[in-house]
Amino acid sequence: MLEKCLSADDRDHPDHPAALALAACLALLAGPLSALAQDAGPGQGDGPTQQSSSVQRVEIAARQGATDLRRAASVAKQIYGRDELDSFGDTNALDVLRRLPGVSVGAGGPRMRGLGAGYTDQSAQAIAGSINIILKDAPRRTQRDLRLGLTDGKQRPRANLNLTLGEAKGPLGLSLPVSLFEWRRENTSATDRQMPGIDGLPAHAQQLGHQQVWGWGYNIGPRLNWKISDEQALALQGFAQKGYWHNRTNQENHVLSGQPVLEDDTQQQGTWQNLRGNLTWTNRFRDDQRVELRAGVQQSKWTLDVVNLRQGSERLRTVGHGDEEGLSQAGKYSWLLGQSHSLTVGWDLEAKRRLEERSVTEQGVPVLADFEGQPFDAQVRRQAFYLQDEWEISPALQMYLGLRNERIRTESHGNAAPVINESSVLSPLWHLTYKLDPKGRDMVRASLTRSYKAPVLSTLLARPSVNSQFTNTNAGNTELAPDRIGNPALAPELATGLDIAFEKYLPAGGLWSVGVFHRQIASLVRTVTTLQPVAWASVPRWVAQPLNFSSATTS
């Protein structure tokens, strides 16, 4: 299982756990053979005067735990092995992430270092950092694993089921995990509203909200491994997920003064669906050279049905659906220049497209006749090429250099002329590890990186959404109840980061570490609310829109 935490480039290294495990297997085979040879020697068993041969069997166990893998890594990272994950009985990845230092999990996904969910990403987009979840390989033997779970709930226990089937036939290995899950939560809230009211004059109200959230879903993730030869391997991995969700919110309103803006009661429901497929081919055509090719396809779909209720009667209804599709292709060529020096060159290509359709009606009448039911789509295309050099300069000093050039093209379509935006990002990186003692128990790590964050496809869609409390487009709204629209002209955020850490590895196992980091972010994207003339209203409206408007630092 530990081999999955390392790249295939490391597996031929003489100190790699796979090589040590092979040596251990050979030692175990040699032990019984030598014992058999001595027991069957001449004179054995001929008489009581012959002393019996006593051969001590020595077993060599070689295994690197998560701490050892972290210690041997060329860059700073935290590694958590399968044993540690199983010890807590987690049923999904988010439960695992909630326990990790520096990671928090919210509605938008995992977050690192206090930055938003969108900053934890992949490749050179990881301004906050990267989370790499390495899944199990297909088993080398027959596997049958069933886990049933119950979680305490407000009204009744919540259940989950995880079933894993595995088979191995010669060079082929197949794994088929299946999961069923459900959730049910109740939330209460108290909101004190002191703000301009519907008439623009000061108003004051209190709202007590009661929310019920429930749903269920299932997923399946088949995986096939084929060892074509000692040099070539092929892996095919799929994933399919379907879910159904519901949300009901009731408000208890207390008007203290004026004509306050109050939230409606809502009844919401919808579905989501995710499909992914990935193919990886590796070929070590020489002892010092290796090539890896990857291809992937993905599709996400969703539906939405939201009803706004006022005094028990339907006032607004929003019905929508959308899908997002993507294709990717990547490859890399690794060349071992010496025992402690390697070079890697590669590329990463990706194309994504998001399509949305939505219709909002007020008592059956379209709110925005020019926009309701019209398709809006956005596209992102990335082309990246990179070079990486990993070099162990001396037993105490290890350096990792990299350079990545990435070109990004975004395109957004609606009921107006398409908007196209192109940009190019050059991302150098430098990692240094210095061991303060010969055994490597104390070390200092330093990193200097340049990273970026491309716009999310949904933020590029220039479809306006009128605030549900101010649907009359012949009148204005308030700054605290703005309309919303995307921005097709968004450019990537750029960040320059510095990380320094000290790690001390304890003789009996375990470690403690302390680190600092700093990021300077340019072209920061934030949602800004301004009063402006708009195409969907006869008067100026307050509008919230994402903009590249400033810079920021985080430490």
Side-chain angles (χ1 to χ4, degrees):
M1 293 300 298
L2 293 175
E3 283 191 46
K4 302 175 189 63
C5 297
L6 299 177
S7 67
D9 295 331
D10 299 326
R11 295 177 183 169
D12 287 350
H13 194 279
D15 293 332
H16 186 269
L20 294 176
L22 177 61
C25 293
L26 293 176
L28 291 177
L29 289 174
L33 290 175
S34 61
L36 178 62
Q38 295 191 39
D39 291 342
Q44 290 289 351
D46 291 341
T49 59
Q50 176 68 36
Q51 294 183 352
S52 61
S53 174
S54 176
V55 178
Q56 183 180 5
R57 179 175 177 178
V58 179
E59 295 188 7
I60 303 175
R63 176 173 179 176
Q64 283 189 313
T67 301
D68 297 322
L69 292 172
R70 173 175 176 171
R71 181 178 176 182
S74 58
V75 298
K77 62 175 67 175
Q78 299 176 23
I79 301 175
Y80 300 88
R82 180 75 195 186
D83 294 341
E84 185 172 355
L85 305 184
D86 286 341
S87 63
F88 291 92
D90 297 319
T91 59
N92 62 76
L94 291 182
D95 289 341
V96 177
L97 297 177
R98 287 187 175 94
R99 293 195 312 273
L100 304 187
V103 179
S104 60
V105 179
R111 304 169 178 233
M112 297 178 66
R113 292 174 166 175
L115 292 170
Y119 292 93
T120 305
D121 214 312
Q122 59 184 355
S123 67
Q125 299 193 60
I127 290 179
S130 297
I131 298 176
N132 184 23
I133 300 176
I134 303 176
L135 303 178
K136 282 185 177 180
D137 281 339
R140 295 184 175 91
R141 63 181 187 274
T142 300
Q143 180 183 8
R144 302 290 186 268
D145 185 16
L146 175 63
R147 299 187 182 188
L148 301 176
L150 289 176
T151 306
D152 186 26
K154 178 71 175 179
Q155 299 176 350
R156 62 170 178 81
R158 302 190 304 269
N160 61 77
L161 178 149
N162 293 273
L163 172 66
T164 302
L165 305 176
E167 290 290 346
K169 296 293 184 181
L172 296 177
L174 175 64
S175 176
L176 183 64
V178 180
S179 297
L180 298 176
F181 55 91
E182 65 170 350
W183 68 94
R184 181 176 291 270
R185 299 190 304 272
E186 291 190 8
N187 305 315
T188 58
S189 63
T191 307
D192 187 77
R193 293 180 173 272
Q194 300 183 48
M195 56 188 291
I198 297 176
D199 55 0
L201 300 177
H204 188 191
Q206 292 179 343
Q207 280 190 299
L208 300 178
H210 178 73
Q211 183 187 54
Q212 292 181 318
V213 182
W214 72 98
W216 69 281
Y218 58 89
N219 58 52
I220 181 171
R223 183 183 181 98
L224 174 68
N225 287 355
W226 179 22
K227 186 177 181 181
I228 304 173
S229 65
D230 292 340
E231 294 78 23
Q232 296 186 63
L234 190 68
L236 177 62
Q237 181 176 326
F239 179 78
Q241 184 182 68
K242 181 80 173 184
Y244 304 82
W245 61 271
H246 302 265
N247 187 327
R248 180 181 298 159
T249 304
N250 296 318
Q251 305 282 359
E252 181 182 336
N253 301 320
H254 300 277
V255 178
L256 303 180
S257 65
Q259 302 180 39
V261 179
L262 299 173
E263 297 292 337
D264 293 331
D265 296 342
T266 59
Q267 294 180 357
Q268 308 179 37
Q269 62 181 355
T271 65
W272 83 88
Q273 174 182 297
N274 295 316
L275 300 173
R276 289 199 303 269
N278 295 282
L279 181 67
T280 303
W281 175 74
T282 58
N283 183 13
R284 185 180 295 276
F285 52 91
R286 287 180 51 181
D287 292 341
D288 59 350
Q289 297 180 38
R290 176 177 178 271
V291 65
E292 177 180 313
L293 298 177
R294 303 189 307 273
V297 60
Q298 65 179 27
Q299 182 189 59
S300 300
K301 291 186 176 182
W302 56 266
T303 63
L304 176 71
D305 188 350
V306 178
V307 177
N308 286 46
L309 302 171
R310 186 167 295 180
Q311 296 179 350
S313 300
E314 179 179 320
R315 188 177 71 87
L316 285 177
R317 184 168 188 175
T318 303
V319 178
H321 65 90
D323 67 85
E324 186 171 313
E325 300 174 342
L327 295 173
S328 63
Q329 199 281 313
K332 64 179 181 180
Y333 169 80
S334 302
W335 184 16
L336 188 63
L337 301 178
Q339 186 176 1
S340 57
H341 194 186
S342 64
L343 185 69
T344 301
V345 295
W347 67 91
D348 190 356
L349 311 176
E350 184 182 39
K352 285 186 177 182
R353 179 182 179 183
R354 182 183 179 95
L355 175 67
E356 286 188 10
E357 291 186 20
R358 189 173 60 210
S359 178
V360 183
T361 57
E362 185 172 15
Q363 297 179 347
V365 178
V367 173
L368 298 177
D370 295 336
F371 297 92
E372 307 302 350
Q374 297 297 319
F376 283 76
D377 72 90
Q379 303 176 27
V380 171
R381 287 180 171 83
R382 295 191 305 110
Q383 300 175 353
F385 301 91
Y386 60 89
L387 174 68
Q388 298 173 353
D389 185 5
E390 186 174 352
W391 186 17
E392 186 176 343
I393 301 175
S394 69
L397 185 62
Q398 189 175 11
M399 186 169 62
Y400 185 103
L401 296 173
L403 185 65
R404 181 185 181 98
N405 180 261
E406 192 146 351
R407 179 172 296 276
I408 307 166
R409 185 180 190 270
T410 63
E411 184 175 341
S412 179
H413 297 262
N415 59 355
V419 178
I420 299 175
N421 186 20
E422 294 187 3
S423 60
S424 180
V425 179
L426 186 65
S427 304
L429 59 89
W430 171 77
H431 301 282
L432 186 70
T433 299
Y434 181 69
K435 300 176 182 178
L436 301 177
D437 65 294
K439 295 184 178 180
R441 296 192 184 276
D442 299 336
M443 62 179 64
V444 176
R445 299 185 188 270
S447 299
L448 183 63
T449 59
R450 181 174 171 85
S451 51
Y452 78 99
K453 176 179 176 293
V456 180
L457 279 174
S458 59
T459 63
L460 300 175
L461 298 176
R463 187 208 186 281
S465 176
V466 174
N467 187 276
S468 62
Q469 305 302 316
F470 295 89
T471 56
N472 183 4
T473 56
N474 293 319
N477 54 352
T478 68
E479 187 176 4
L480 296 180
D483 300 342
R484 295 185 176 275
I485 192 172
N487 184 1
L490 283 179
E493 296 175 289
L494 300 178
T496 302
L498 175 65
D499 297 73
I500 300 176
F502 171 75
E503 298 177 355
K504 183 176 184 64
Y505 293 84
L506 307 179
L511 67 97
W512 67 266
S513 65
V514 59
V516 297
F517 74 93
H518 180 74
R519 297 286 185 274
Q520 290 185 337
I521 306 175
S523 300
L524 184 72
V525 175
R526 284 295 181 269
T527 299
V528 181
T529 302
T530 58
L531 182 64
Q532 56 181 283
V534 295
W536 60 89
S538 58
V539 297
R541 303 269 294 191
W542 289 96
V543 179
Q545 184 180 33
L547 299 173
N548 296 99
F549 81 105
S550 183
S551 60
T553 61
T554 176
S555 302

